Amino acid sequence: MNTTPTRLLIHGASGRMGQALLRLAAEDSSLQVVAAVVRKPPIQRVIDGIPHFAASELAGAPAFDVAIDFSLPEGFDPILALCAERGVGLVSGTTGISDQQQAALTAAAARIPLVWATNFSLGVAVLAELVERAAAALPGWDCDIVESHHVHKKDAPSGTALTLGESALHGGAEPRYASLRAGDIIGEHFVQFTGLGERVELVHRATNRDIFARGALHAAKQLRQRAPGQYRVRDLLGNVI
Ligand code: NAD
């Protein structure tokens, strides 16, 4: 068991998730943020004392054990390439990546341990399992997934909604999607199965984005110990709560 702190590179550090990651990592002595990467310096919001630099200077990043990426699809390729080149792990929560980027991720998993997930919360991992079971148990019922997020969210339907939709498909349902963008909602996913004269409703509400950041930090510690491969959140979350 390695007892030295896991050295992290945080990619997308000035964003909402990046800021939560920096704050929570600073409270954990088993983690050391060695680089905070932002799209454009200077940045005001990054916690003092953490070395930070621009995405255009990524190649010059100091040595790190695992990168955590919560940026945008256009930032995904460079951080995946850097991790593959250095032979270190990648935790990515960036949503909206293309099929081509998914294929690059799968190819990189032959060389490095990585996890890409649309949602790092334990609650959503459980919800995905419940949706699959409900879909299998309710053949022929309509399945609708309604997701709500803050007005700044770029992709729709959300990555989490699509992940829940895959679970529904595995269970035999044919999911439909609806998206709401309103105010400062962190993330709500409502899955409704509708039969004749009855409905089953499953819902997850995120009230704090720390749940995603905690899951990603936990995944980073786990990945450091793992062999190359593509892991799922449920493989890594284990006893986090
Ligand atoms: P945000 O807009 O607040 O932050 C995005 C950050 O990425 C910004 O700091 C921006 O400067 C940076 N960025 C953009 N392009 C870049 C590039 N080319 N290179 C480097 N950095 C770049 O967004 P957010 O709310 O923090 O969310 C970030 C991502 O994480 C989104 O894709 C969002 O959907 C996703 N997300 C995932 C989860 C999960 O659990 N998987 C949870 C919440 C959000």
Side-chain angles (χ1 to χ4, degrees):
M1 186 78 172
N2 205 326
T3 53
T4 58
T6 300
R7 296 167 302 170
L8 297 178
L9 178 148
I10 306 290
H11 194 245
S14 60
R16 283 172 284 265
M17 283 301 300
Q19 291 290 295
L21 287 160
L22 290 177
R23 178 170 43 77
L24 292 171
E27 295 169 3
D28 186 335
S29 61
S30 69
L31 296 170
Q32 182 191 8
V33 178
V34 295
V37 182
V38 297
R39 185 164 40 174
K40 285 187 206 142
I43 43 167
Q44 270 75 45
R45 288 184 293 150
V46 170
I47 291 171
D48 287 346
I50 297 171
H52 58 272
F53 54 95
S56 56
E57 298 162 357
L58 200 54
F64 60 95
D65 300 308
V66 180
I68 303 184
D69 165 59
F70 279 81
S71 60
L72 295 179
E74 54 265 40
F76 180 79
D77 294 345
I79 190 63
L80 177 65
L82 182 73
C83 290
E85 186 189 307
R86 303 241 184 135
V88 297
L90 173 65
V91 174
S92 178
T94 298
T95 60
I97 64 172
S98 66
D99 291 348
Q100 217 172 10
Q101 289 174 312
Q102 291 278 4
L105 190 77
T106 304
R111 297 192 48 207
I112 58 171
L114 56 83
V115 54
W116 174 84
T118 58
N119 198 302
F120 277 89
S121 86
L122 181 61
V124 164
V126 171
L127 177 62
E129 296 205 12
L130 293 175
V131 166
E132 184 168 340
R133 286 172 60 180
L138 303 168
W141 288 34
D142 287 328
C143 173
D144 292 279
I145 300 176
V146 183
E147 56 97 351
S148 308
H149 282 87
H150 53 87
V151 293
H152 304 292
K153 184 163 178 64
K154 298 225 162 61
D155 51 325
S158 68
T160 301
L162 295 172
T163 299
L164 294 172
E166 276 171 29
S167 297
L169 277 169
H170 282 150
E174 290 177 21
R176 295 177 298 211
Y177 301 92
S179 300
L180 293 176
R181 294 291 172 264
D184 62 352
I185 300 170
I186 289 177
E188 293 187 7
H189 293 85
F190 176 81
V191 185
Q192 176 172 291
F193 292 92
T194 311
L196 295 177
E198 56 182 331
R199 284 201 299 268
V200 172
E201 300 172 349
L202 299 168
V203 64
H204 178 270
R205 292 190 179 89
T207 53
N208 188 320
R209 53 178 56 84
D210 285 6
I211 58 172
F212 312 123
R214 280 208 186 86
L217 291 169
H218 181 81
K221 289 186 215 175
Q222 295 288 312
L223 271 197
R224 184 188 179 190
Q225 330 279 345
R226 302 287 179 119
Q230 187 164 1
Y231 296 89
R232 301 168 305 172
V233 172
R234 75 175 82 148
D235 300 328
L236 301 172
L237 277 181
N239 303 320
V240 76
I241 294 177

